Amino acid sequence: MPKIVTLQLSPKQAADEKFYVARAAERLGIRQSDIALARVVKRSIDARQRMAKVNLSIEVYIDKEPQPAPLHFDYPVVEHGTEVVVVGSGPAGLFASLRLIELGYRPILLERGKSVLSRKHDIAQINRGGEINPDSNYAFGEGGAGTFSDGKLFTRSKKRGDYNKALQTLVWHGANPAILYEAHPHIGTDKLPRIISNICRTITEHGGRVLFESKVSGFVLKEGRITGVKVGNDTIEGAAVVLATGHSARDIYELLHASGIAVEAKPFAMGVRIEHPQRLIDSIQYHRDERGEWLPAASYSLVSQEAGRGVYSFCMCPGGFIVPAMTNTQQLVVNGMSPSGRNSAFANSGLVTEIRLEDFAYLREEWGELAGLRYQQMFEELARQNSGERQIAPAQRVSDFVAGRESHSLPRTSYIPGLTPSRLDRWMPEGIAERLRSGIATFGRKMKGFVTDEAVVVGVESRTSTPVRIPRDSETLMHIEVEGLFPAGEGAGYAGGIISAALDGERIAEAVARYCKAHNY
Ligand SMILES: Cc1cc2nc3c(=O)[nH]c(=O)nc-3n(C[C@H](O)[C@H](O)[C@H](O)COP(=O)(O)OP(=O)(O)OC[C@H]3O[C@@H](n4cnc5c(N)ncnc54)[C@H](O)[C@@H]3O)c2cc1C
């Protein structure tokens, strides 16, 4: 059995392998030469005091005791396996496809957007203020919404699946093994695209198919069962259909609704993105002027209750960039991402508040179960109407937003298309603006310096969670009405975030396998 040694070190010591292995040997009372293998299994930062400490747990194997087997995935070839249609190549669709392969099924993965390489060009064009391709943008394309992101891999839903296996799968496909032990692992937008294309390569090399620029625009239904989907004039058939289209695919919700397939309105969250100079967040969190060479860009996680509703920070991106995440030109939507080094001069985060069913009840008569979707769309259109040309986003200094004042100028920003001053507090629905305002004031009391002229709120952060659920049976995980249809991931309303969507995709693949077995497909 390996020994576990827990050390509390300075950030510099924790970055020095020779130092911490020597310290571990000393702690165990053995010679360093007796150590066959020492590996970090957990790493977290404790920044509560002025001198931040790093907690390291190290697994030490001594002499000839058996060492852990190297990470290995052995996917079978499934060319002749039963075909299952998977719609959407986000984390849910990719991990569903990998799990289907492990279980001997052949995924036919359909993606409306382009491969990562071509998608990069479309994203660069959006950042330059150019055209927005409605099928190739920050939300759509190989790898889904998570490809050009921070790649945070933290999830609260670890119990919903094998969290470690999901991380190992990412490492097998090229992620830094440090994600296996970091307390808050992340990959970074510079590394994610290669990992995603490696996953797609695994799928095709093992007999699955991955078809880009293949937008599903119809479902083929026979006597209450789905037998395939329509892509242009073609029909793609399969024993089952996994629908993992994410929550930006409004046309899919509309298609389901128009086809008489049950969807349900659900509560969600919306708000703004907030951006501070990273050095300011570092100084607040690390209690000193400079974070120095060895500490990572600091982050925060804030929650409060305002007027009986939650206001919270979401998807915080230290050392990152705000990005234009809309899927067409009638909307203005922002989100955040960071490179692996988290080395930009800015810290941004979503700052959102709960949106309840009653907020959009007035839209129910006209929009039925899609009322929340319409409410979300109206919020994005309001942002568009109050913005500048193209992707220029409306913004207000944080101190002005809290005080209800106009901003005559704006601070520097990471948002490449640029910002324009706007009274967000005036044009947002009153309840949202008011709760965000008092939430930010509360956060300013928790983190001294958070409310400042140097920070800016940018409109709008609207795609944090889906306003529509595609309901599934709690046992079979199949759609409650349509046999063979398996809604998966964030768009279905059963996941939020990269890892949670990936775990949901795996669960769905297992449910598909049970279904196919029971019906001899
Ligand atoms: C900029 C940004 C940064 C983010 N950062 C993080 C982060 O750091 N950590 C984190 O956990 N989460 C992050 N998220 C959220 C995360 O990306 C999503 O939670 C996750 O990708 C959801 O996975 P999914 O597979 O359910 O759906 P998606 O990733 O949305 O994938 C759905 C896929 O389906 C495709 N599709 C849609 N309609 C059709 C159709 N009709 N036919 C064929 N294909 C279709 C889409 O093109 C897309 O590729 C970020 C999101 C964005 C936009």
Side-chain angles (χ1 to χ4, degrees):
M1 282 283 281
K3 305 250 180 312
I4 299 281
V5 180
T6 304
L7 302 173
Q8 198 171 61
L9 304 170
S10 74
K12 186 177 176 192
Q13 292 167 338
D16 182 347
E17 187 177 349
K18 266 195 193 149
F19 180 88
Y20 63 70
V21 172
R23 188 61 77 79
E26 198 181 296
R27 179 72 67 79
L28 290 171
I30 58 173
R31 285 181 312 218
Q32 221 177 307
S33 54
D34 292 337
I35 294 182
L37 173 74
R39 58 174 196 173
V40 178
V41 287
K42 217 167 178 192
R43 185 179 190 279
S44 62
I45 294 173
D46 182 351
R48 284 170 298 178
Q49 308 294 326
R50 210 176 146 71
M51 297 299 289
K53 295 276 180 225
V54 178
N55 295 319
L56 275 193
S57 293
I58 303 167
E59 201 173 53
V60 180
Y61 292 78
I62 300 165
D63 280 342
K64 293 196 172 58
E65 77 176 307
Q67 291 181 19
L71 186 66
H72 187 76
F73 281 79
D74 204 2
Y75 295 99
V77 174
V78 293
E79 211 173 342
H80 303 294
T82 300
E83 293 187 345
V84 174
V85 176
V86 178
V87 191
S89 73
L94 289 177
F95 276 71
S97 300
L98 289 176
R99 188 74 189 120
L100 283 168
I101 290 175
E102 286 178 329
L103 296 167
Y105 294 84
R106 184 185 197 209
I108 311 293
L109 181 54
L110 305 174
E111 168 55 53
R112 75 195 291 161
K114 300 181 186 173
S115 69
V116 155
L117 264 186
S118 322
R119 192 178 167 194
K120 273 187 180 166
H121 294 289
D122 295 325
I123 282 183
Q125 181 170 288
I126 296 173
N127 281 322
R128 283 196 302 268
E131 289 303 310
I132 300 174
N133 180 334
D135 293 315
S136 179
N137 44 55
Y138 274 96
F140 297 154
E142 184 176 7
T147 307
F148 299 96
S149 77
D150 186 36
K152 276 179 288 297
L153 305 174
F154 181 71
T155 179
R156 287 195 186 88
S157 53
K158 287 187 186 174
K159 286 192 194 130
R160 290 204 193 145
D162 193 339
Y163 174 67
N164 285 330
K165 183 186 166 202
L167 295 186
Q168 285 169 353
T169 305
L170 291 168
V171 172
W172 180 248
H173 288 97
N176 185 334
I179 64 169
L180 300 174
Y181 58 75
E182 291 288 355
H184 293 279
H186 87 110
I187 294 182
T189 187
D190 48 330
K191 309 276 184 202
L192 278 158
R194 191 171 62 88
I195 297 165
I196 299 293
S197 22
N198 287 344
I199 294 179
C200 284
R201 191 169 318 122
T202 293
I203 295 170
T204 50
E205 281 178 355
H206 292 83
R209 293 181 72 197
V210 180
L211 303 170
F212 295 114
E213 298 182 66
S214 298
K215 176 154 116 189
V216 169
S217 54
F219 302 116
V220 185
L221 299 165
K222 282 188 193 137
E223 292 159 9
R225 179 164 103 80
I226 190 161
T227 58
V229 294
K230 288 270 180 208
V231 175
N233 294 325
D234 297 332
T235 297
I236 315 280
E237 293 188 326
V241 173
V242 175
L243 191 63
T245 43
H247 65 188
S248 286
R250 292 193 171 135
D251 46 2
I252 283 289
Y253 296 123
E254 283 159 9
L255 179 66
L256 289 162
H257 197 48
S259 314
I261 298 174
V263 292
E264 287 169 1
K266 70 179 261 305
F268 59 110
M270 294 199 295
V272 290
R273 232 177 221 242
I274 188 164
E275 183 171 77
H276 292 79
Q278 181 63 51
R279 58 159 177 71
L280 179 69
I281 298 300
D282 289 343
S283 71
I284 301 174
Q285 299 298 72
Y286 291 138
H287 324 285
R288 56 199 218 187
D289 293 341
E290 296 282 330
R291 78 166 184 263
E293 197 182 339
W294 304 102
L295 283 169
S299 62
Y300 56 81
S301 171
L302 297 162
V303 188
S304 81
Q305 282 288 315
E306 306 295 336
R309 301 233 195 146
V311 176
Y312 53 95
S313 63
F314 179 86
C315 184
M316 205 258 147
C317 298
F321 299 86
I322 298 183
V323 298
M326 47 282 207
T327 39
N328 70 44
T329 42
Q330 285 92 56
Q331 322 150 348
L332 213 143
V333 180
V334 289
N335 211 309
M337 69 177 196
S338 312
S340 53
R342 286 185 164 166
N343 49 5
S344 98
F346 300 95
N348 73 72
S349 173
L351 241 175
V352 295
T353 179
E354 274 180 68
I355 306 294
R356 294 189 181 158
L357 299 180
E358 67 242 37
D359 295 330
F360 48 85
Y362 72 101
L363 294 167
R364 275 308 262 264
E365 201 176 310
E366 190 179 352
W367 298 90
E369 299 298 329
L370 302 185
L373 197 68
R374 179 67 196 136
Y375 188 73
Q376 183 193 43
Q377 200 175 344
M378 285 161 57
F379 192 57
E380 295 170 0
E381 286 166 3
L382 268 176
R384 165 83 276 168
Q385 288 150 24
N386 286 282
S387 66
E389 284 182 354
R390 302 284 181 163
Q391 281 72 264
I392 293 175
Q396 197 170 2
R397 286 183 193 263
V398 168
S399 45
D400 293 337
F401 182 78
V402 171
R405 279 188 312 245
E406 192 170 341
S407 293
H408 297 290
S409 64
L410 294 171
R412 280 181 61 228
T413 177
S414 68
Y415 183 69
I416 296 170
L419 303 176
T420 185
S422 172
R423 289 289 306 257
L424 275 79
D425 58 319
R426 285 232 172 112
W427 56 256
M428 279 187 183
E430 208 182 319
I432 298 182
E434 197 40 53
R435 292 198 298 281
L436 291 177
R437 188 209 310 261
S438 48
I440 293 173
T442 305
F443 299 151
R445 289 190 286 278
K446 290 184 185 172
M447 278 176 72
K448 294 274 176 275
F450 191 81
V451 178
T452 161
D453 280 359
E454 288 187 85
V456 68
V457 283
V458 181
V460 290
E461 172 94 20
S462 51
R463 311 261 179 106
T464 58
S465 49
T466 176
V468 180
R469 181 180 294 113
I470 312 176
R472 36 189 217 209
D473 178 82
S474 58
E475 255 177 41
T476 62
L477 304 188
M478 200 150 66
H479 186 271
I480 53 168
E481 289 169 352
V482 181
E483 201 188 314
L485 178 64
F486 289 83
E490 192 162 86
Y494 293 92
I498 295 171
I499 286 291
S500 125
L503 295 182
D504 195 54
E506 289 208 325
R507 272 180 85 207
I508 285 297
E510 285 160 17
V512 167
R514 286 195 295 274
Y515 165 77
C516 289
K517 234 181 183 167
H519 291 81
N520 273 330
Y521 293 141

